[in-house]
Amino acid sequence: MAAPNPANNGRPTRPVLRQTLSSASFIQDHQQYKPSAPIQTIGNVIGNSPESAFAALSVKANPISPDPEKVTDSGIVHSIFNPQSNELPTGTQQLVATIYYKSADPIHPHLHPDSSPHAGSGQTLPSPMVPVGSAPTVDIEKIPREPPAPEPEPLDHLYGPFVSQLCLTNFLQIIETLPTPYQRTNTSHRCLDRHDQPRVVEVTFSPPPNPDYLTFEDLRKHESIWRFEREWNVEVVLQRESVFRRHKRLVVFDMDSTLIQNEVIDEIAKFIGVEKEVSEITARAMNGELDFSASLRERVSLLKGVPADVFEKLKSIITISPGARELCKALKTLGCKMAVLSGGFQPLAEWLAEQLGLDYAHANHLEIDPTTQTLTGKLVPTYPIIDASQKRSILRSIAAEHGIPISQTVAVGDGANDLLMLHAAGLGVAWRAKSKVQLEAPTRLNGESLVDVLYLLGLTKDDISELIA
């Protein structure tokens, strides 16, 4: 056997496997690769003089610090965040999320009657409910016979009936997880109505998600945001931040079930006893199940013989929606042009425009027999039917007439015949809309007062009070 090389005598012993092919300590085996460190004792650390004690206890005397002659700092900091200030390029797009707490509809867990101390004899579990806007219909009989999806745990009854700090934190966490690839987000927020227990909070964040991975339209309907709304009992309206978001110049409204709480054609039907037939057709048309023009003609035909002065009688029973007067007054003070575009009828649209100070009123014209002064059951053929496409056309024509960019327009409606104008406007709001409309509209609100629309323009409660004073 060859003699060992004397040049290797000064090398450290290489690690070898033991006879059992394993070591009692993985760490112990691999310590052989590291240079031996001098052993520090308590005597080395605590010297006789105060100076030596101070030096020994200084940071540089840390007994486990590496040898400075062999280990140097590379100067590179490894972190998922930029250690410097998160400066964004000038002109980076911002998004604004207006979060409304649904104070009129607090969510509480359904307790089993057996576990409730207030349960009465014979009390049963509550009937299953379909959340508004989560399905094309809220009729439980039309839902497929499948187990209902588990609802998120309602959190507003735990953390308070308002937009809490934890609610905001959860929202920002969701926003941070949406962009792909990851990018750190700058955020800020404002309480628009009150600072303690706010109902409306505006959150601004940038940059928006990369549109190559998540478009703005998909972000508005993202499943994570929908679940967040259900958990915290809130509604989120997303908009692109710009000067046109805050300064609108044209606002158009639907009339029935928007500016007023009634469906006018249903009210007329009560006079002649065909309310049920007309109401069924109206509901299907507003849900988009029937062609609007065809259904309108069918309903109008049932009104044949109704006295022409029926509209005067209806004025006393028409209920203007809560907040409609305040909303229109504030918009008028800001200098906005306003219009009502209704699939209803012209006499009431003109009356409502006078009540609310609107600039335009467009609706359908019913034909009147001049001899009998009764409705003929037909529409005046020289006037166009105010259907979905006509509403969109009127919106665009009024904007063009006043030189208003479409981005400075707002449309508010509740029916399927409003969807085209909601998508055409700079901001389209489905107000307490039918389920299908809530699913398809750009944004939706289900509050108690139409004044909530003003918060979407960035106005605060104090601003609104000043405008309507």
Side-chain angles (χ1 to χ4, degrees):
M1 177 178 293
N5 189 346
N8 294 335
N9 292 339
R11 294 181 180 178
T13 306
R14 298 180 62 185
V16 296
L17 289 176
R18 301 171 187 264
Q19 293 182 354
T20 60
L21 299 182
S22 66
S23 170
S25 168
F26 175 86
I27 296 178
Q28 182 179 358
D29 276 349
H30 287 268
Q31 288 292 337
Q32 298 177 73
Y33 287 105
K34 299 181 179 180
S36 58
I39 299 176
Q40 298 283 351
T41 65
I42 192 67
N44 300 130
V45 177
I46 303 177
N48 296 326
S49 65
E51 292 80 8
S52 62
F54 178 81
L57 293 174
S58 66
V59 175
K60 292 185 178 180
N62 187 344
I64 61 172
S65 62
D67 188 339
E69 295 182 0
K70 297 181 180 179
V71 181
T72 58
D73 188 354
S74 65
I76 300 174
V77 177
H78 297 278
S79 171
I80 62 173
F81 298 112
N82 187 347
Q84 306 300 324
S85 59
N86 191 28
E87 297 291 340
L88 294 173
T90 303
T92 300
Q93 178 66 62
Q94 294 181 322
L95 297 186
V96 173
T98 309
I99 303 176
Y100 296 80
Y101 177 73
K102 297 166 66 175
S103 56
D105 185 28
I107 298 177
H108 296 282
H110 294 299
L111 299 176
H112 194 284
D114 292 345
S115 64
S116 172
H118 306 291
S121 60
Q123 186 176 354
T124 60
L125 284 171
S127 300
M129 299 285 291
V130 180
V132 175
S134 64
T137 177
V138 294
D139 185 354
I140 199 68
E141 296 300 322
K142 296 180 181 179
I143 301 296
R145 300 302 186 186
E146 298 177 357
E151 282 291 299
E153 174 69 20
L155 299 177
D156 60 321
H157 73 289
L158 297 176
Y159 297 100
F162 52 90
V163 182
S164 63
Q165 291 185 358
L166 193 60
C167 173
L168 282 179
T169 302
N170 189 200
F171 177 74
L172 295 176
Q173 288 173 335
I174 291 171
I175 293 298
E176 287 245 335
T177 62
L178 294 181
T180 306
Y182 176 81
Q183 50 189 352
R184 192 176 185 186
T185 305
N186 284 351
T187 64
S188 62
H189 76 276
R190 294 193 302 152
C191 300
L192 298 186
D193 57 342
R194 50 185 298 180
H195 291 284
D196 59 318
Q197 302 185 1
R199 186 182 67 87
V200 188
V201 175
E202 179 184 276
V203 181
T204 304
F205 59 94
S206 63
N210 189 329
D212 294 336
Y213 297 92
L214 182 64
T215 65
F216 179 64
E217 289 70 23
D218 290 338
L219 174 63
R220 276 177 157 174
K221 302 178 183 299
H222 199 280
E223 180 182 354
S224 296
I225 293 181
W226 182 88
R227 185 175 180 87
F228 165 79
E229 291 178 318
R230 295 292 300 151
E231 284 182 335
W232 292 98
N233 192 31
V234 297
E235 289 184 309
V236 178
V237 177
L238 287 170
Q239 300 179 77
R240 292 186 175 92
E241 175 62 304
S242 73
V243 65
F244 295 143
R245 176 190 80 89
R246 291 172 271 114
H247 299 281
K248 300 297 186 184
R249 297 171 58 194
L250 172 63
V251 184
V252 300
F253 301 95
D254 177 43
M255 182 172 71
D256 295 8
S257 298
T258 303
L259 285 180
I260 64 175
Q261 294 183 318
N262 316 69
E263 287 286 345
V264 171
I265 197 167
D266 293 347
E267 299 293 343
I268 299 176
K270 291 180 181 179
F271 283 90
I272 56 175
V274 292
E275 179 185 5
K276 181 178 180 181
E277 294 87 337
V278 171
S279 296
E280 289 177 354
I281 299 172
T282 300
R284 294 179 65 191
M286 291 300 100
N287 280 315
E289 300 173 21
L290 297 175
D291 175 72
F292 179 81
S293 298
S295 68
L296 177 63
R297 290 191 178 94
E298 183 179 351
R299 286 175 289 165
V300 167
S301 67
L302 297 173
L303 306 182
K304 183 178 181 180
V306 175
D309 64 352
V310 65
F311 296 108
E312 289 297 324
K313 298 177 181 178
L314 284 178
K315 291 177 184 177
S316 62
I317 63 173
I318 293 298
T319 303
I320 295 178
S321 298
R325 294 184 185 275
E326 293 82 357
L327 169 61
C328 293
K329 185 175 182 180
L331 292 173
K332 197 73 173 178
T333 306
L334 290 172
C336 293
K337 296 293 181 181
M338 292 180 289
V340 54
L341 311 182
S342 174
F345 305 113
Q346 189 67 22
L348 281 179
E350 292 177 352
W351 171 80
L352 185 63
E354 181 181 349
Q355 292 290 311
L356 300 179
L358 309 183
D359 302 285
Y360 298 90
H362 295 271
N364 296 301
H365 292 71
L366 290 174
E367 190 177 68
I368 300 174
D369 187 329
T371 305
T372 62
Q373 286 297 302
T374 59
L375 303 180
T376 65
K378 298 179 182 179
L379 296 167
V380 179
T382 54
Y383 288 94
I385 292 177
I386 308 299
D387 57 7
S389 60
Q390 189 65 20
K391 286 188 175 187
R392 180 176 59 184
S393 298
I394 295 173
L395 165 67
R396 290 172 173 170
S397 65
I398 296 176
E401 176 185 347
H402 294 279
I404 299 173
I406 203 68
S407 56
Q408 285 186 275
T409 64
V410 181
V412 185
D414 75 300
N417 63 326
D418 298 316
L419 278 171
L420 292 183
M421 77 171 182
L422 296 183
H423 283 285
L427 172 61
V429 182
W431 174 255
R432 301 181 66 90
K434 312 302 183 290
S435 294
K436 178 184 177 183
V437 182
Q438 298 215 30
L439 289 173
E440 298 185 14
T443 63
R444 69 189 191 281
L445 283 178
N446 292 279
E448 299 177 79
S449 170
L450 277 166
V451 171
D452 280 354
V453 174
L454 292 173
Y455 291 119
L456 298 178
L457 311 184
L459 298 174
T460 66
K461 185 177 181 179
D462 291 340
D463 296 333
I464 296 170
S465 299
E466 187 174 353
L467 289 171
I468 64 178

